[in-house]
Amino acid sequence: MIITKCWAWLSSGSASMLGSLTDSLLDISASLMSFLVLSYALRPADDDHRFGHGKAEALAGLGQAAFIAGSACLLAFHAIERLINPVVLKHSLLGVWVSLFAIVCTLLVVSVQYQVVKRTQSIAVKADSLHYKGDVLLNIAVLLAILLSYYGVIYADPLFAIGVAGYLLYNCWDIAKESAAHLMDRELPDEEKAEIIMLASSHENVYGVHDLRTRQSGKVKFIQLHLELDDDMPLMRAHAVSDEVVAMIQQAFEGDLDILIHQDPVSLAVNPKLSQNR
């Protein structure tokens, strides 16, 4: 796609095709960075990184966002210059065929990524796939811009290029927000936390759950919680109950989980479930 878009841009001088070329260059840079970072992030925990290396994904995301933002600004400046000094496009049909080729290639990439996300739940691949889905719309926009310019609407090309720049900035903002959330140890979604509490509380020997804390690093979800158990329950039985709760949560959630459970005597907490049982 990069080779054909470069050929089409040099032949036609289309600003929107330059925007599409810029996006493809960013795509291959981001995918290469994701490949290198995932190779590191998927390493198992070691003595220096007891919680694993998953946050490397978020650091790479921030770098990608900064790179994309700079490229989008340069593209916007180029498009504004074209608005001031419009240029009649040459070889417009070449741009049309290249855009159609890019749409087909991007759809193939998205279909492969869908299968990968379905099997691995990788955040990096999921974010990359979201970006490629947007690329389908971007290539359609470039196609429309070239067709409109071919029929005499000379301002369509730079206007669509500005739209592409805005699209790139929007995407890099989303990437930066998600990366920052992982670095700041943002909690898992409320529905997932509610499901964890529901699963743990459903165990017949558990009177309550409190102090649930969650975060995600790379593909690993970290879950910590306190179980309220009978005051006189033997330690071996309390340990077995915790293992059973862990198994219930792991069965309900896909992906890698790191679950830490602390057992508390129920007398330390006022719990309606205990009152009903008594």
Side-chain angles (χ1 to χ4, degrees):
M1 283 193 291
I2 289 173
I3 293 172
T4 56
K5 287 180 181 181
C6 185
W7 176 34
W9 169 59
L10 292 174
S11 299
S12 66
S14 167
S16 58
M17 181 59 71
L18 174 60
S20 184
L21 171 62
T22 302
D23 185 65
S24 291
L25 289 170
L26 293 174
D27 286 344
I28 196 169
S29 300
S31 295
L32 179 60
M33 186 180 295
S34 295
F35 171 75
L36 296 174
V37 169
L38 279 172
S39 299
Y40 179 79
L42 291 174
R43 292 180 182 177
D46 54 34
D47 291 339
D48 293 325
H49 305 88
R50 298 302 297 272
F51 292 96
H53 304 79
K55 287 192 176 181
E57 286 190 48
L59 289 173
L62 287 177
Q64 290 178 21
F67 184 60
I68 292 172
S71 300
C73 290
L74 289 175
L75 175 61
F77 292 145
H78 178 72
I80 291 171
E81 190 274 333
R82 281 295 179 87
L83 276 176
I84 298 172
N85 302 300
V87 175
V88 178
L89 299 186
K90 300 173 291 181
H91 305 292
S92 297
L93 290 179
L94 174 61
V96 170
W97 285 112
V98 168
S99 295
L100 289 172
F101 172 72
I103 290 170
V104 173
C105 290
T106 306
L107 288 173
L108 289 173
V109 172
V110 169
S111 65
V112 173
Q113 288 178 324
Y114 173 79
Q115 296 299 325
V116 173
V117 171
K118 188 176 179 180
R119 292 178 58 184
T120 67
Q121 297 298 310
S122 169
I123 296 173
V125 179
K126 191 179 296 184
D128 213 29
S129 180
L130 179 64
H131 180 69
Y132 276 106
K133 288 175 183 175
D135 285 354
V136 176
L137 298 177
L138 183 149
N139 286 309
I140 293 174
V142 172
L143 179 61
L144 290 174
I146 294 174
L147 287 173
L148 288 172
S149 297
Y150 178 76
Y151 287 106
V153 186
I154 60 174
Y155 290 106
D157 182 56
L159 287 174
F160 272 86
I162 292 174
V164 171
Y167 160 78
L168 292 174
L169 287 172
Y170 174 79
N171 272 278
C172 77
W173 174 246
D174 274 356
I175 294 171
K177 282 198 303 181
E178 185 173 359
S179 300
H182 282 288
L183 289 173
M184 296 300 293
D185 289 334
R186 185 181 63 185
E187 290 277 326
L188 295 179
D190 289 340
E191 57 270 18
E192 292 189 15
K193 292 165 61 179
E195 186 174 2
I196 292 169
I197 293 175
M198 183 271 294
L199 289 168
S201 301
S202 66
H203 194 286
E204 59 181 0
N205 295 122
V206 175
Y207 291 108
V209 178
H210 63 271
D211 287 350
L212 172 65
R213 295 195 298 173
T214 63
R215 68 184 180 92
Q216 184 162 351
S217 179
K219 67 173 185 175
V220 182
K221 295 179 180 179
F222 291 87
I223 300 170
Q224 298 180 17
L225 55 90
H226 290 231
L227 295 181
E228 299 165 15
L229 305 175
D230 191 277
D231 291 9
D232 300 320
M233 179 178 288
L235 180 59
M236 289 295 292
R237 179 55 188 156
H239 179 77
V241 170
S242 297
D243 285 346
E244 291 165 8
V245 170
V246 168
M248 294 165 64
I249 296 173
Q250 288 178 331
Q251 188 175 4
F253 285 82
E254 295 181 352
D256 294 343
L257 301 178
D258 189 309
I259 304 174
L260 178 64
I261 292 181
H262 180 78
Q263 300 94 5
D264 281 337
V266 71
S267 60
L268 296 180
V270 179
N271 193 290
K273 184 176 176 180
L274 175 64
S275 302
Q276 292 173 4
N277 290 342
R278 288 181 174 175

